[in-house]
Amino acid sequence: MHLWLAYVLGGMGVLVEWRAYLLHCGHAFRRWSAVGAILWAAMYGLLGAWTAAFTMASTSLRTLLSTWLENHPHKHRVASGFVLLFAGLTAASWQGPVSLLPAFAVINTTLALFYFDNRRMRIALLASSAAWIANDLIWQAWPALIAEVVAAGLNMRTIRRMHAATAARSIDPERQRQDRGTREARADN
């Protein structure tokens, strides 16, 4: 029973994560991604993989906090704490140089979530995806490989669409006036 439930939760986590990558809004991306990580943490917990469960629960918390602490004075301390946490998990579960791939992926993602705007964050996440893909190939983790390849593809699609939307706004003078009017109205409130 636990095995079946674990795989259902893991599958739901994959679908939720894919949805996150389709969203243009950085805050919505982070919320959905955090939910996906919690589902994976539950899956790993049911499978008895406690290091993976703790890591995924930590990534969920990290992702949520990166949104809430965007302009907070303690942002640097929290980001540093997560980098140290993930470095410590890597040291505790060291399996040779291959352990550097997931370590790079989670630390790079941490820094991207805390310090980059939405577009740059997504570009940095492509480097994390490359590390996870290499890790999954080495370990022959085929379901994780498929999930990560699809996530990277969805991320690239969203980056292209965000870029196209920005380019369209910069070309259309009427759109520029509307955007300027919206910004001025917000400033008045």
Side-chain angles (χ1 to χ4, degrees), residues 109-187:
T109 299
T110 298
L111 298 173
L113 287 168
F114 276 92
Y115 295 110
F116 291 160
D117 64 26
N118 189 28
R119 186 169 180 275
R120 288 184 180 139
M121 172 198 65
R122 289 171 178 275
I123 292 169
L125 293 182
L126 291 173
S128 296
S129 288
W132 280 120
I133 289 167
N135 183 71
D136 296 339
L137 283 169
I138 290 167
W139 291 106
Q140 299 177 4
W142 308 125
L145 175 67
I146 291 167
E148 195 62 46
V149 167
V150 171
L154 293 173
N155 191 21
M156 286 189 279
R157 175 181 174 259
T158 302
I159 292 167
R160 279 195 308 272
R161 287 186 174 193
M162 289 168 55
H163 179 69
T166 301
R169 260 188 253 117
S170 67
I171 293 171
D172 184 4
E174 178 59 30
R175 182 71 183 255
Q176 287 177 344
R177 279 192 291 281
Q178 289 173 351
D179 289 347
R180 200 173 17 249
T182 302
R183 282 193 302 272
E184 290 170 1
R186 285 184 192 151

Side-chain angles (χ1 to χ4, degrees), residues 10-22:
M12 288 171 48
V14 168
L15 295 176
V16 167
E17 186 71 18
W18 287 350
R19 172 160 172 55
Y21 277 106
L22 287 172

Side-chain angles (χ1 to χ4, degrees), residues 52-107:
F54 179 70
T55 300
M56 292 314 298
S58 298
T59 62
S60 179
L61 179 61
R62 171 213 56 202
T63 303
L64 287 175
L65 288 176
S66 72
T67 298
W68 295 335
L69 299 174
E70 200 167 16
N71 297 313
H72 197 275
H74 297 296
K75 172 174 94 170
H76 306 300
R77 288 188 189 126
V78 174
S80 298
F82 278 108
V83 168
L84 290 173
L85 171 69
F86 294 131
L89 286 171
T90 300
S93 60
W94 185 256
Q95 293 178 291
V98 71
S99 294
L100 295 174
L101 291 168
F104 167 79
V106 293
I107 291 170

Side-chain angles (χ1 to χ4, degrees), residues 6-31:
Y7 292 139
V8 167
L9 289 172
M12 288 171 48
V14 168
L15 295 176
V16 167
E17 186 71 18
W18 287 350
R19 172 160 172 55
Y21 277 106
L22 287 172
L23 299 171
H24 289 225
C25 173
H27 292 287
F29 166 81
R30 286 172 170 92
R31 284 191 303 273

